[in-house]
Amino acid sequence: MIFKVYYQEDANEVAVRENTKSMFVEGESQVEVRKKLKELKINIEYIQKVEGAYLEYEKINEDYKVLEI
């Protein structure tokens, strides 16, 4: 499954919408994705499962790439 992770680059940074970044990560669950990203020292705001039409829409975006961890 593919998950879209919304995050702040600094783990101590307060979540501000204008500074939120996103990445795509493959995993079996949100828990597994959190474990994979633990070493990155980022502030994870939200993890969303991406599938169906939403996934197809995201794949069209030139910034779409799944993080290999």
Side-chain angles (χ1 to χ4, degrees), residues 10-58:
D10 182 1
N12 298 318
E13 187 175 343
V14 175
V16 177
R17 185 177 192 168
E18 292 78 17
N19 297 336
T20 300
K21 302 199 184 303
S22 64
M23 70 174 90
F24 295 92
V25 180
E26 188 171 352
E28 293 298 316
S29 67
Q30 289 185 11
V31 173
E32 182 182 334
V33 170
R34 283 187 183 277
K35 286 179 182 177
K36 287 182 174 184
L37 298 176
K38 186 177 181 181
E39 299 298 318
L40 294 183
K41 307 288 189 227
I42 59 175
N43 179 12
I44 297 173
E45 290 180 42
Y46 184 67
I47 300 176
Q48 179 180 19
K49 185 176 173 182
V50 182
E51 59 187 351
Y54 184 35
L55 178 58
E56 294 306 315
Y57 173 78
E58 289 290 358

